[in-house]
Amino acid sequence: MSDNGPDLSTLTGAELVRLFLDAVDSPPSTDAERAEFFDFKARVFALLADRGNPDAARFAARARADRDRVLARIEAEMGGEF
């Protein structure tokens, strides 16, 4: 996930979809990877929502909620030190 870079704004819609499908093709195996994936997913769908896709905003919100849930689990496992 980290080689996807933080700036997705220069990618076309089709490029975003391809990048997202590549990320889905190699599912994360740890909670940290899951949190990173959900963060990436939220950024992709938020960008698509900004470009006029009203359904994408809902998917971005869900991905952020999933990311936050995984981060809370990581923090709980670390005794609140995340």
Side-chain angles (χ1 to χ4, degrees):
M1 236 13 91
S2 58
D3 50 24
N4 292 330
D7 184 17
L8 303 173
S9 64
T10 60
L11 301 177
T12 66
E15 290 170 329
L16 283 170
V17 170
R18 270 189 238 109
L19 190 62
F20 178 73
L21 291 175
D22 286 345
V24 171
D25 197 33
S26 57
S29 59
T30 67
D31 277 346
E33 290 174 350
R34 283 191 244 327
E36 189 175 345
F37 169 74
F38 286 130
D39 183 63
F40 169 70
K41 182 178 178 180
R43 289 187 300 125
V44 167
F45 281 103
L47 190 54
L48 291 172
D50 288 345
R51 293 180 181 178
N53 184 330
D55 294 327
R58 186 175 38 133
F59 295 121
R62 176 58 192 241
R64 283 190 294 274
D66 288 340
R67 177 203 59 208
D68 293 346
R69 179 183 45 81
V70 173
L71 288 174
R73 183 171 55 226
I74 292 170
E75 185 175 349
E77 290 172 358
M78 295 180 71
E81 297 179 21
F82 183 64

